[in-house]
Amino acid sequence: MLEYLSGLIRKFNTTRHWSIRQRLLFITLVPVSYLFCMLVWHSYWLHTQEVKNEIEERGNIVTKVLAESSEYALASDKLPDLKLSLDGLVQSERGIWSIDILDASRRVLLHSQSKEHKISGHRTFDLPIKKRLTWVNVIPSVADPAAQNDNLPSTPKTQLAGYVVVVMSFAELEDKQQHRFAVELAVAALGLIISAWLAVHLSRTLSVTFAQFIDACRSIRSGNFSVDLAVKDGGEIGELQISIKEMAESLQRSTTELESRVAMRTVELETSRNEALKANMEKRKLIQKIHGIVEEERKSIALEVHDELNASLIAVRLESQRIIDLSKQMSPSIGQDTIQHHAQSINKIALDLYNNGRALVRRLRPEVLDMLGLEGAISEMVSSSQNNYPSCDFSYSSEGNFDSLDNASAMSIYRIVQEALSNIIKHANARHVEIILQRDAVTHAVHLRISDDGTGFDQALITSGLGLIGLRERVFALDGNIQILSDTDSGTTITIRLG
C-alpha cells in the first residue's frame, strides 16, 4: 500500500513540470469528468432500482388481485371466463409476460402469454389461491339456541384451491427508463462539453496572456525595456499587466538615467585619464631629464676627479719618489731610514688614493661602457663581481645586436644590472646568479632577466627600498615594465622589458 501511494505521489509530482494551460485543464476537467461519471453511474443505478421496485410493486399487486379474483372462477368451474380475463389483462398490461393458473398439485389449468411484448429480464410472483368455507345454519332449533350456536365454528375455514403465477417482464419499463436515462445522459454530456469548452477557452486565454507576460519579462531581462503590453483584462491579471508595464517604464527611465550618468562619468574618467597620461609622460620626461642631469653631473665629477685629484695624487707620488731618491744620495745618517720609510708610506697612500679615485671614476662614469659597449661592460661587471665574491657563481649570456642602442638606454640598463648585483651581494646570500640579456631583432625590444637562489624577501615590506624604487623609475622612464618575483625558498627573479 505504501509503495502504491509513493508511486502516486511520484506521478503527481510530474505536474510541477506542466505548463499553466495543462494545470488549468487538469484542475478543471478532472473534477468535471469525475462528476459526470458519478452522475451517469448514479442515474443508471437509480433507474435500474426504479425498474426493479416498480416491477416488484406491480407484480405483487397483480398477483394478489388475481389470487383473490380467481377463487370464485375455480370454485364455480368458470375457467373460460377466467381465461378471457387473463388474456385481456396480459394484452392491456405491457409489463406482464405471462399468467398461469395452477391447481393444488401445481398442474397448469390456464396459461396466458403475451405475443407482442418482449422480455429481456423477468421476475416471477407466485401466490396461492385459497378457497374459504363458510358455515350457514339454515334450520333453526328452538329447543336450545345457545347450544346450537356453540356447535358452529367461530371462524371460516380455508382450503388450497390452486396457485397463480405471474411473470413480469423488465423490457417495457427498461425501455422507458433507458429513454429517460438517455435524455439525462445527453443533458449531462452537453454540460460536460460546455464545461470542457469553457475550460479549453479559459486555459487558452490564460496561457496566451501568460505567454505575453513571459515574453515581456524575457525582453526586460535581455535589456529591452520598451515593452508594449496592452492592459485588456481585469482583476489580478489586469493588475499584473499594469505592474509589468509600469516596471518596464521604470526600468527604462532608470536605465536612461544610469546611461547618462555613466556617459558623464566616462567623460570625466576619460579627461582624468588623459590628464594622468599627460602627467605620466611629463613624469617620464622629468625622470629621463633627472637621470640625464645625474649622469652629466657624474661625468663632470668623474672628469674633475680624473683630471684634478688623480693629477694631484700623481704629483704627490712623484714628490715622494723624489724624496726617496734624494735620501738615497745623502750620506748615511740616523734619520735617513726614517725619511725613506715615511716617503714610501706617502707613495703607497697616494697610490691607494689614485686607485680609489679610478674606481670612483669608473662608478661615476664607466669608461668600459664607451670602450666595450653594453655587452662588454656588463660582462666586465660580472667578472669583477666574480673576482670580488668568489663564493658566489655569476653567469652571464647575451643575445642580439646592441650597437644601435642609444646611450641613455644603454646607461640605464647598465645601472639596472649594477643596482641589482649590488642588492644581491649585500642581502641575498646567493650561491648562484644568472643574468640574461636579449634584444629582439624585429621589435628591437630589450629583455633583461636577473635571477638568484638567495633568501628572497617579502615584497610588501621591501617595496619602499631605494634600490627597487630606483630600478622601477629607470624602467618607467624608458617606457618599459618590470616584474619582481621573490620567494624565501627559491630566491628572486627580476624580469624587465624595455621598448
Side-chain angles (χ1 to χ4, degrees), residues 158-169:
T158 60
Q159 291 182 354
L160 181 64
Y163 297 92
V164 57
V165 178
V166 179
V167 178
M168 301 294 294
S169 174

Side-chain angles (χ1 to χ4, degrees), residues 172-372:
E172 184 66 23
L173 292 178
E174 284 180 348
D175 289 342
K176 293 181 180 180
Q177 294 296 341
Q178 285 179 358
H179 177 71
R180 292 174 57 189
F181 177 73
V183 174
E184 293 178 358
L185 181 62
V187 174
L190 179 62
L192 177 63
I193 293 173
I194 294 174
S195 300
W197 180 82
L198 290 175
V200 172
H201 176 70
L202 179 62
S203 64
R204 187 181 66 84
T205 303
L206 289 178
S207 63
V208 170
T209 303
F210 277 98
Q212 294 175 354
F213 293 161
I214 293 172
D215 292 338
C217 292
R218 287 176 177 173
S219 178
I220 293 173
R221 184 180 62 184
S222 62
N224 182 18
F225 304 115
S226 58
V227 176
D228 186 13
L229 186 62
V231 181
K232 299 180 180 179
D233 301 314
E236 290 82 358
I237 302 278
E239 291 292 333
L240 185 57
Q241 290 173 340
I242 294 174
S243 299
I244 292 177
K245 188 173 182 180
E246 291 178 351
M247 179 183 67
E249 293 174 353
S250 177
L251 289 174
Q252 181 67 36
R253 290 193 298 270
S254 300
T255 303
T256 304
E257 294 177 0
L258 182 60
E259 287 178 351
S260 62
R261 292 181 181 178
V262 169
M264 294 175 59
R265 184 59 178 167
T266 302
V267 173
E268 294 177 356
L269 291 175
E270 189 69 24
T271 304
S272 300
R273 176 178 173 275
N274 294 334
E275 292 178 354
L277 290 176
K278 184 179 179 181
N280 193 21
M281 292 298 296
E282 293 178 353
K283 180 181 178 181
R284 289 182 179 179
K285 292 179 181 180
L286 179 60
I287 292 175
Q288 289 180 349
K289 186 175 181 180
I290 291 174
H291 286 167
I293 294 173
V294 169
E295 292 298 332
E296 290 295 330
E297 188 64 25
R298 285 180 173 179
K299 184 177 180 181
S300 176
I301 295 173
L303 290 175
E304 291 181 3
V305 171
H306 183 272
D307 295 340
E308 297 182 8
L309 181 58
N310 286 351
S312 300
L313 291 174
I314 291 172
V316 170
R317 287 187 61 197
L318 293 175
E319 290 298 329
S320 62
Q321 186 65 37
R322 178 65 176 167
I323 293 173
I324 294 172
D325 294 338
L326 290 175
S327 64
K328 290 179 179 180
Q329 296 176 5
M330 293 174 59
S331 57
S333 62
I334 298 174
Q336 182 180 3
D337 294 336
T338 303
I339 293 172
Q340 288 182 4
H341 175 72
H342 287 293
Q344 289 175 355
S345 298
I346 293 172
N347 191 10
K348 185 177 181 302
I349 292 171
L351 180 60
D352 292 339
L353 288 174
Y354 179 78
N355 291 330
N356 291 334
R358 287 187 60 84
L360 179 61
V361 168
R362 282 195 298 270
R363 286 186 60 84
L364 292 174
R365 180 63 181 177
E367 299 174 353
V368 68
L369 187 63
D370 297 329
M371 294 185 295
L372 302 178

Side-chain angles (χ1 to χ4, degrees), residues 51 53 63 80 130 179 260 262 307 334 349 426 431 481:
V51 169
N53 294 335
T63 306
K130 296 181 180 181
H179 177 71
S260 62
V262 169
D307 295 340
I334 298 174
I349 292 171
K426 291 179 181 178
R431 306 297 298 174
N481 57 72

